[in-house]
Amino acid sequence: MSVKNLTAKKIITIGLTALTTIMVGISGLMKAIHLPWSVEGLAKTNLPNSATALGLMEISFIILFVFPKTMRIGFLLISCYFAGAMGTELSHDGSIFNPAVPLILVWICAFLRDRSVFFGTAESTVN
């Protein structure tokens, strides 16, 4: 692999990770500070009193995801968070589009940053 291709991949990975982190972080911040339109969405699912907790969880999980040493646990937690959000949306006749987009971006970032999250390593396989 040439240096030019490696640099392009690194730039794309960093840019996509930054975009995803900002998007999820702002979403969590809006819930944590109770912006009316953000809490309005939670009211439809009977969760308006949980806005602060959900927002802080979102922020915490995406921060864990950003740092290489905690990326795996952050990936697991943020994936579970958005999977739960999709389940909640479906159970209340909502659209899974809102939680699905950041989840897809998180998965793409995780794949670009560390493919062993999905495929494992040679040492971790059992013969």
Side-chain angles (χ1 to χ4, degrees), residues 119-127:
F119 302 121
T121 59
E123 298 87 34
S124 66
T125 58
V126 178
N127 293 327

Side-chain angles (χ1 to χ4, degrees), residues 63-75:
I63 288 172
L64 287 170
F65 179 71
V66 170
F67 295 105
K69 287 188 177 186
T70 58
M71 188 197 84
R72 288 174 176 260
I73 188 69
F75 171 72

Side-chain angles (χ1 to χ4, degrees), residues 7-82:
T7 305
K9 181 186 176 223
K10 195 171 195 174
I11 290 170
I12 291 169
T13 302
I14 291 169
L16 193 57
T17 302
L19 172 72
T20 304
T21 302
I22 291 167
M23 190 171 73
V24 174
I26 288 174
S27 169
L29 181 64
M30 288 189 295
K31 287 180 186 87
I33 63 173
H34 292 267
L35 283 182
W37 67 270
S38 181
V39 177
E40 180 182 304
L42 292 172
K44 293 178 185 175
T45 58
N46 298 325
L47 295 170
N49 297 330
S50 303
T52 302
L54 291 172
L56 292 175
M57 286 169 52
E58 216 171 315
I59 292 167
S60 302
F61 298 161
I62 202 66
I63 288 172
L64 287 170
F65 179 71
V66 170
F67 295 105
K69 287 188 177 186
T70 58
M71 188 197 84
R72 288 174 176 260
I73 188 69
F75 171 72
L76 178 67
L77 292 170
I78 201 75
S79 292
C80 291
Y81 176 86
F82 283 119

Side-chain angles (χ1 to χ4, degrees), residues 70-124:
T70 58
M71 188 197 84
R72 288 174 176 260
I73 188 69
F75 171 72
L76 178 67
L77 292 170
I78 201 75
S79 292
C80 291
Y81 176 86
F82 283 119
M86 288 189 331
T88 302
E89 287 287 335
L90 286 174
S91 70
H92 289 83
D93 294 326
S95 170
I96 64 168
F97 182 72
N98 287 337
V101 170
L103 181 60
I104 290 167
L105 289 173
V106 165
W107 277 55
I108 291 170
C109 290
F111 182 79
L112 291 173
R113 290 174 64 195
D114 184 6
R115 292 182 184 192
S116 69
V117 169
F118 297 97
F119 302 121
T121 59
E123 298 87 34
S124 66

